Amino acid sequence: MAKKSFVIFRTLQILAICVLFSVIIYQLISLQNESNAIRYQQTEKFAYSLTNLAAAEASRYLAQKKHKDLQLLIDDLSNDPIVRDATIYDELGQIIYQSKTALPLPILLKLGVQKSQEADGVIPYIAELYSDKTKIGYIRIALEQERILSLIHDYQKRGSSILVFLILLAFITGLITMAVSFRKLDIIYQQIITDFPIVLEHAKKDVLKLTRLGRK
């Protein structure tokens, strides 16, 4: 009976461990999928923020005809490692300033170009330039999306590594705790098994004594 109970208890322990592992693996996969979705969302938000900020500066310089500052803005944007190129157009779509190695618009938009000429991973973002609610031009910024994603991926990868390491530490700690607890429980169990016949024998003797006293 005791052996059967021990087998059932050990089987339940193994099943519990399997269920916990399944839940952990499922959560890790879900976390990875959510992280991938968040990476693209954060990339889009960053791209729009950068484009709108540059558009505000370009609008001010273009309205005030500060052509030198406008060119410096384009050069500063082009020097950023995540920016492929930048271009400023007038209200008619004519180029005013652009990066020295700016990609042609048909290549960026993949219009009538060969597969080998396509700019993979480069995403253009366009914002309108206004002065007193009057449209005075456009700014186009082409971002290296893959480079932005790789930066976010590296950060998330470090976070995931730390998370997995903490899970392993928690698992090892749990195993050690179980081993220590099981050893103590086993000692108590063995003590009970050893002492039980003696206690039972003493109880029988006490019952016999009480029975004899009762007969007298």
Side-chain angles (χ1 to χ4, degrees):
M1 184 66 181
K3 185 177 180 180
K4 185 177 180 181
S5 300
F6 175 79
V7 172
I8 294 174
F9 181 69
R10 180 54 58 88
T11 303
L12 291 175
Q13 284 182 323
I14 295 173
L15 287 176
I17 291 173
C18 292
V19 171
L20 288 175
F21 263 115
S22 300
V23 171
I24 291 172
I25 293 173
Y26 174 77
Q27 292 297 330
L28 287 175
I29 294 174
S30 299
L31 182 62
Q32 182 65 35
N33 292 334
E34 291 178 4
S35 297
N36 291 334
I38 290 174
R39 274 196 294 162
Y40 282 95
Q41 292 176 3
Q42 293 300 319
T43 300
E44 289 295 320
K45 289 181 180 179
F46 171 77
Y48 281 115
S49 297
L50 178 63
T51 303
N52 290 332
L53 181 61
E57 292 293 311
S59 297
R60 183 162 58 88
Y61 294 149
L62 189 59
Q64 297 175 0
K65 300 186 183 302
K66 294 183 177 180
H67 302 295
K68 186 176 181 180
D69 292 334
L70 206 57
Q71 184 65 57
L72 288 174
L73 174 64
I74 295 299
D75 292 339
D76 288 341
L77 287 172
S78 302
N79 290 330
D80 194 302
I82 63 174
V83 177
R84 173 60 180 80
D85 59 56
T87 304
I88 291 181
Y89 304 89
D90 62 15
E91 70 278 9
L92 300 178
Q94 300 297 317
I95 296 175
I96 300 177
Y97 296 106
Q98 68 177 7
S99 305
K100 295 179 181 179
T101 57
L103 290 172
L105 194 58
I107 292 179
L108 277 175
L109 301 179
K110 301 179 181 180
L111 300 175
V113 296
Q114 298 179 357
K115 186 69 177 179
S116 58
Q117 294 178 316
E118 293 181 359
D120 294 331
V122 179
I123 308 297
Y125 294 87
I126 299 175
E128 297 176 340
L129 306 181
Y130 287 90
S131 176
D132 295 330
K133 298 183 180 181
T134 300
K135 187 186 298 182
I136 57 175
Y138 306 87
I139 183 171
R140 185 199 77 195
I141 300 177
L143 298 180
E144 299 276 4
Q145 188 183 45
E146 293 301 323
R147 187 169 294 180
I148 301 173
L149 289 174
S150 66
L151 292 173
I152 301 175
H153 175 71
D154 291 340
Y155 175 77
Q156 291 179 341
K157 188 176 180 180
R158 288 194 297 271
S160 298
S161 299
I162 294 173
L163 178 61
V164 171
F165 178 69
L166 291 176
I167 291 174
L168 287 175
L169 283 180
F171 177 70
I172 294 171
T173 302
L175 287 178
I176 294 173
T177 304
M178 285 180 61
V180 173
S181 300
F182 177 77
R183 181 60 180 166
K184 290 182 178 180
L185 290 173
D186 186 60
I187 292 172
I188 296 172
Y189 176 77
Q190 294 297 332
Q191 188 68 35
I192 292 173
I193 295 298
T194 304
D195 294 342
F196 183 74
I198 300 173
V199 174
L200 184 61
E201 188 65 29
H202 284 303
K204 287 181 180 179
K205 290 180 180 179
D206 292 338
V207 170
L208 288 173
K209 287 180 181 179
L210 291 174
T211 304
R212 290 172 183 174
L213 290 173
R215 289 177 182 177
K216 293 180 179 180

